[in-house]
Amino acid sequence: MPLDWLTRLDPLRRIRCPFCFEKFAACEMHLRCGDHYCKTDFGKMIDDPILSEALNGPRSGDSQGATLRSPWWVDPSKDVRRGLRRHLDWMVLPDSLPCPNCKKPTDVRLCPRCHAQLPDSVVTLEAGHIAIFGPQSVGKTTFVTVLIHELEHRVGPARGFTLDPLTDEIRERYEREYHDMTYGANQFGVGEDADGDSYRRSHYATPSIETNRRILQPLVYRVTSRKGKKQTTAGTLLSFFDTAGEDWEMNIDLLRGEARYIGQARGLLFLVDPLRIREVALDRRLKLTEKEVRVPPADYLNDARKLATFFGRTPIKTPLAICLNKLDRWGKLMEPGTTLHTLATSVPDDEPDPRVDALVNEEVQSALRNWGATGFLDYINIHFPVHRFFACSALGDAAQADEDAPQPLPTPLLIERPVLWLLEQQKIIE
Ligand SMILES: Nc1nc2c(ncn2[C@@H]2O[C@H](COP(=O)(O)OP(=O)(O)OP(=O)(O)O)[C@@H](O)[C@H]2O)c(=O)[nH]1
Ligand SMILES: [Mg+2]
Ligand SMILES: [Zn+2]
Ligand SMILES: [Zn+2]
């Protein structure tokens, strides 16, 4: 669909790529041939160093590996076929350029920094952002999986917004790499008894950037909200970035260089697993699994310090939600009568509201204090003034002690609360 005139007459409009989070002017976007037959003809492909670097890292294209090839693409300001016109794109955005191979005009636009294909909505919509990070096995990937499912199917409709994958590729990737694992793949007909539990299982540890750079590519969604009775057509883009705990714990320099999304974040979500705090793990009321016994204690104060190194100077104004995950496991250790104990041990009848958030925020901090994490709390207070504490369980009752055991469907608890707060901070929802 061609861009409308109003947009084309504003070529200096700043755009933030929802994939790499770099900013540039609309007239800097590149174009690529979109014709099905032309773009799948390997013989007509040309070198694409920008895509190579985005997918394979800065070392791509040197002796280590060949430059990727892609369908014909061009930087419109360097397309000599256009003569002097190519210097005037800052006055009006070209609507399309002909592909030299198939001669068809193309308006498929690319981010000039990472060569991700940018649908038109990217040109007109704001880009929101949630970066999810934390040490290994705190439940980040499971959180992303269940969160997106909940936002799409339950929370969005209840709060008056919809969440749609930005592209088909993102929809397929979410299904394949996230959803199918936790919710089971559709291997059965609609009327068949799918004994689905046996096909649902825990996520594997997310591989390091060194093994698979895919993790640097966010899942990008479009959030459209209904304001009052009127459906506003505008909306916002929202990119979810999952992080490999292995990189966070063991490759922080690499992560700092590659995961620009943390330093440029508009919303930070730090997932914490209290079972990796010694005081919690040694509580006799808990029966730890074999794996939980073996993991080293986490050093959350050090994690907070690591986080600060992604930013130029402190205090850091980016909103930070700190969420104690796996509430299903540790909630019963809380004093009976507290909100956390009640939430973890009963079936909640009401939707949680801001009052509950305020209580959880207080109770989580006093729990952390009791567990000896005062240094962590002080550090957060000083260096991340815009922060809030949350508790949640992505799996709820469905969590299984045995990693390889089949899982029932998740019954999440409070999973959307930190994200709704972050979206409010970014003015994406009210
Ligand atoms: N009890 C309980 N276990 C959970 C929950 N969420 C995740 N888990 C389990 O925690 C383990 C780690 O989950 P992942 O989502 O892979 O954790 P991760 O943080 O992505 O791990 P890395 O990718 O290695 O950094 C798995 O065995 C999950 O089943 C939860 O809400 N409750
Ligand atoms: Mg993971
Ligand atoms: Zn980009
Ligand atoms: Zn072509």
Side-chain angles (χ1 to χ4, degrees):
M1 204 179 50
L3 283 177
D4 62 57
W5 263 104
L6 221 57
T7 310
R8 287 188 52 207
L9 285 172
D10 185 11
L12 295 178
R13 151 206 303 265
R14 300 298 286 174
I15 294 176
R16 201 196 263 271
C17 170
F19 297 95
C20 68
F21 260 72
E22 295 283 342
K23 272 187 161 172
F24 44 85
C27 58
E28 290 179 67
M29 288 187 292
H30 295 175
L31 289 165
R32 176 156 65 206
C33 178
D35 177 73
H36 176 76
Y37 297 103
C38 182
K39 76 180 181 187
T40 47
D41 184 343
F42 283 97
K44 299 217 169 87
M45 289 195 177
I46 59 172
D47 278 355
D48 192 338
I50 297 174
L51 186 70
S52 288
E53 173 150 356
L55 296 183
N56 298 337
R59 277 166 49 213
S60 66
D62 62 13
S63 53
Q64 306 280 333
T67 305
L68 293 178
R69 290 169 77 78
S70 77
W72 175 84
W73 64 273
V74 74
D75 173 352
S77 71
K78 306 234 164 77
D79 188 351
V80 286
R81 297 175 303 168
R82 302 175 63 211
L84 279 180
R85 277 222 331 263
R86 70 180 188 275
H87 301 301
L88 300 177
D89 289 343
W90 58 274
M91 292 172 73
V92 58
L93 212 57
D95 63 344
S96 66
L97 290 181
C99 164
N101 299 324
C102 64
K103 310 287 185 278
K104 291 191 184 140
T106 177
D107 63 356
V108 174
R109 289 172 210 278
L110 308 178
C111 163
R113 312 278 187 258
C114 73
H115 267 193
Q117 188 174 326
L118 303 179
D120 290 350
S121 53
V122 170
V123 182
T124 47
L125 300 184
E126 281 284 316
H129 188 218
I130 293 187
I132 295 157
F133 59 92
Q136 293 179 69
S137 227
V138 295
K140 297 176 292 295
T141 305
T142 313
F143 183 94
V144 173
T145 309
V146 179
L147 173 72
I148 290 177
H149 181 93
E150 288 289 296
L151 290 178
E152 270 186 289
H153 296 281
R154 189 178 60 82
V155 183
R159 305 267 309 206
F161 65 83
T162 59
L163 188 80
D164 304 295
L166 184 63
T167 60
D168 288 338
E169 198 213 330
I170 287 173
R171 182 175 49 72
E172 284 158 18
R173 184 171 151 221
Y174 168 71
E175 273 171 23
R176 202 176 51 245
E177 294 176 17
Y178 292 82
H179 188 273
D180 286 356
M181 201 69 116
T182 307
Y183 290 87
N186 289 325
Q187 307 177 352
F188 299 93
V190 64
E192 285 175 282
D193 179 11
D195 185 24
D197 287 4
S198 50
Y199 292 94
R200 291 190 287 264
R201 59 174 316 280
S202 287
H203 280 280
Y204 302 103
T206 305
S208 153
I209 305 172
E210 279 181 319
T211 325
N212 187 357
R213 295 179 57 84
R214 259 291 262 264
I215 192 68
L216 294 168
Q217 302 278 317
L219 293 166
V220 188
Y221 286 78
R222 181 177 175 158
V223 183
T224 317
S225 52
R226 284 194 306 271
K227 294 219 173 77
K229 287 226 159 62
K230 274 189 293 182
Q231 172 92 32
T232 50
T233 44
T236 332
L237 300 173
L238 183 58
S239 305
F240 296 95
F241 291 87
D242 184 10
T243 308
E246 183 185 338
D247 289 333
W248 182 263
E249 287 193 33
M250 291 174 305
N251 265 337
I252 196 74
D253 288 334
L254 179 69
L255 197 66
R256 207 177 297 114
E258 299 277 1
R260 305 274 305 274
Y261 64 84
I262 296 182
Q264 296 171 340
R266 300 190 53 207
L268 294 163
L269 177 51
F270 179 11
L271 276 193
V272 166
D273 179 357
L275 298 178
R276 285 187 64 183
I277 299 177
R278 209 181 279 285
E279 282 70 12
V280 181
L282 294 178
D283 192 308
R284 285 166 180 277
R285 289 170 290 173
L286 265 184
K287 195 169 170 316
L288 293 189
T289 65
E290 221 171 280
K291 187 178 162 197
E292 284 167 349
V293 174
R294 272 186 285 120
V295 290
D299 183 349
Y300 291 122
L301 169 57
N302 195 34
D303 288 329
R305 291 196 185 113
K306 269 186 196 173
L307 176 61
T309 65
F310 282 81
F311 298 86
R313 63 184 125 128
T314 65
I316 296 143
K317 301 285 170 50
T318 315
L320 168 66
I322 301 138
C323 185
L324 273 53
N325 195 13
K326 309 192 186 177
L327 178 62
D328 58 284
R329 296 281 283 124
W330 56 273
K332 28 188 184 301
L333 306 182
M334 301 288 100
E335 277 298 309
T338 57
T339 309
L340 287 173
H341 187 271
T342 312
L343 283 165
T345 52
S346 59
V347 182
D349 37 23
D350 299 327
E351 279 290 303
D353 59 31
R355 254 175 335 127
V356 174
D357 288 340
L359 291 167
V360 169
N361 178 42
E362 290 301 320
E363 291 182 16
V364 165
Q365 290 181 72
S366 58
L368 284 168
R369 220 168 278 123
N370 288 340
W371 295 330
T374 326
F376 171 69
L377 291 171
D378 289 346
Y379 190 91
I380 296 286
N381 266 324
I382 295 170
H383 296 288
F384 294 90
V386 191
H387 69 265
R388 198 170 178 128
F389 290 88
F390 295 87
C392 83
S393 167
L395 296 175
D397 301 334
Q400 298 294 306
D402 175 7
E403 287 242 322
D404 301 321
Q407 284 185 3
L409 280 171
T411 52
L413 204 56
L414 302 176
I415 188 166
E416 76 279 14
R417 304 310 297 176
V419 172
L420 292 179
W421 179 76
L422 287 173
L423 295 185
E424 279 162 20
Q425 295 290 315
Q426 297 175 48
K427 309 231 164 11
I428 293 176
I429 58 171
E430 286 168 9

